[in-house]
């Protein structure tokens, strides 16, 4: 059986084709999903890709959260469907309350684009099982509204329950991708829900799946091989 992973395109999505390619490189079948359709075409998992859905008006992800497709994504995610949100997709997941907290503008008020060092904090989710806890990886980051924020109670819960999936590595030179790039609280780069089926992160693993493009490394590929193995072995 070939696993089928849907990639949702919203008006303003930029990385849907790259995400589809990453899924194909991992060995699964990418399925294009349109934001106006509630039908998920019987996919086994869904990726909300990066970009600037609806031009980031109101707040990044705030309008996309009300697209018809999200009604189905929200219902099925709560029922266990694996969902990955990348950059704008992470923003949409917080707006849809599938993940806690929210995203604000970068603390330096500038768009940032660079290779970013991350540390894997949770390798037990459906999307991270091909990593090991404590592993350091480098994948591209590009955002304007990438500052993760939450109230202290939420942050304490995320930390206590091991739901910080990725953290920016800060012990090194910023010029080489180290450091907190946007002012995210607790250096958080990505989080998971309690069940481990919904994961969101700001950096772009789909741009680091082949050695000839992106970072020149394949540090992002385990996102897609992780879910593929889970689906095939389910």
């Amino acid at each position: 059986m070939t696993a089928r992973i849907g990639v949702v395109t919203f008006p303003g999505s930029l990385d849907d084709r790259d995400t589809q390619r990453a899924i194909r490189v991992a060995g699964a079948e990418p399925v294009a999903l349109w934001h106006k359709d509630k039908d998920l075409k019987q996919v086994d998992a869904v990726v909300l890709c990066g970009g600037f859905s609806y031009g980031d008006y109101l707040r990044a992800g705030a309008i996309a959260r009300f697209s018809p497709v999200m009604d189905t994504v929200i219902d099925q995610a709560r029922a266990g469907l694996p969902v990955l949100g990348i950059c704008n997709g992470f923003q949409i997941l917080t707006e849809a309350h599938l993940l806690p907290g929210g995203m604000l503008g970068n603390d330096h008020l500038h768009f940032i684009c660079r290779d970013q060092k991350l540390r894997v904090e949770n390798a037990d989710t459906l999307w991270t099982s091909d990593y090991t806890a404590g592993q350091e990886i480098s994948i591209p980051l590009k955002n304007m509204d990438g500052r993760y924020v939450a109230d202290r109670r939420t942050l304490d819960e995320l930390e206590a329950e091991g739901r910080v999936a990725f953290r920016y590595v800060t012990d090194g030179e910023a010029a080489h991708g180290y450091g907190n790039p946007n002012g995210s609280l607790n250096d958080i780069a990505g989080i998971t829900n309690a069940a481990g089926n919904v994961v969101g992160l700001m950096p772009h693993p789909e741009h680091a799946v082949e050695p000839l493009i992106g970072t020149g490394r394949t540090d992002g590929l385990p996102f897609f091989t992780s879910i593929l193995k889970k689906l095939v072995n389910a």
Side-chain angles (χ1 to χ4, degrees):
M1 180 192 78
T2 300
R4 303 172 75 248
I5 301 178
V7 179
V8 179
T9 298
F10 300 92
S13 294
L14 300 180
D15 300 302
D16 44 353
R17 297 296 181 89
D18 300 70
T19 304
Q20 291 174 25
R21 180 174 178 80
I23 290 167
R24 192 176 294 112
V25 168
E29 176 188 351
V31 178
L33 301 175
W34 185 235
H35 72 110
K36 286 188 175 182
D37 299 328
K38 288 191 175 184
D39 181 10
L40 296 186
K41 301 180 181 179
Q42 298 182 318
V43 296
D44 303 299
V46 167
V47 180
L48 305 179
C49 66
F52 302 91
S53 59
Y54 294 92
D56 281 352
Y57 290 110
L58 293 182
R59 287 184 310 276
I63 299 177
R65 174 262 177 273
F66 292 101
S67 291
V69 72
M70 287 304 298
D71 290 338
T72 311
V73 170
I74 291 168
D75 288 344
Q76 295 199 20
R78 288 173 176 165
L81 179 74
V83 178
L84 174 65
I86 301 170
C87 195
N88 188 224
F90 185 14
Q91 295 161 344
I92 295 169
L93 289 177
T94 62
E95 292 289 338
H97 302 298
L98 287 174
L99 291 174
M103 313 300 299
L104 296 178
N106 297 341
D107 61 351
H108 45 72
L109 303 181
H110 295 287
F111 181 85
I112 187 169
C113 182
R114 73 183 195 191
D115 294 342
Q116 179 66 47
K117 300 289 185 181
L118 305 177
R119 181 166 52 252
V120 180
E121 300 286 352
N122 186 334
D124 294 325
T125 79
L126 295 183
W127 296 94
T128 61
S129 59
D130 266 2
Y131 292 110
T132 57
Q135 181 179 352
E136 292 189 3
I137 62 176
S138 178
I139 58 178
L141 172 82
K142 50 178 185 175
N143 63 69
M144 181 67 188
D145 299 296
R147 177 162 50 113
Y148 180 77
V149 296
D151 58 42
R152 177 49 55 188
R153 178 179 178 181
T154 299
L155 290 172
D156 289 345
E157 287 179 353
L158 289 173
E159 297 288 0
E161 296 173 7
R163 291 171 52 196
V164 176
F166 296 90
R167 214 180 298 270
Y168 298 115
V169 178
T170 58
D171 51 343
E173 296 181 32
H176 294 93
Y178 293 92
N180 187 324
N182 44 40
S184 291
L185 297 180
N186 291 21
D187 300 323
I188 290 174
I191 60 175
T192 178
N193 68 343
N197 65 303
V198 179
V199 171
L201 79 161
M202 285 310 297
H204 288 259
E206 77 279 12
H207 295 326
V209 297
E210 297 176 290
L212 294 180
I213 59 175
T215 62
R217 301 166 57 148
T218 59
D219 289 3
L221 188 59
F223 276 91
F224 306 101
T225 56
S226 293
I227 191 60
L228 178 59
K229 290 177 182 178
K230 292 293 185 180
L231 294 172
V232 170
N233 294 327

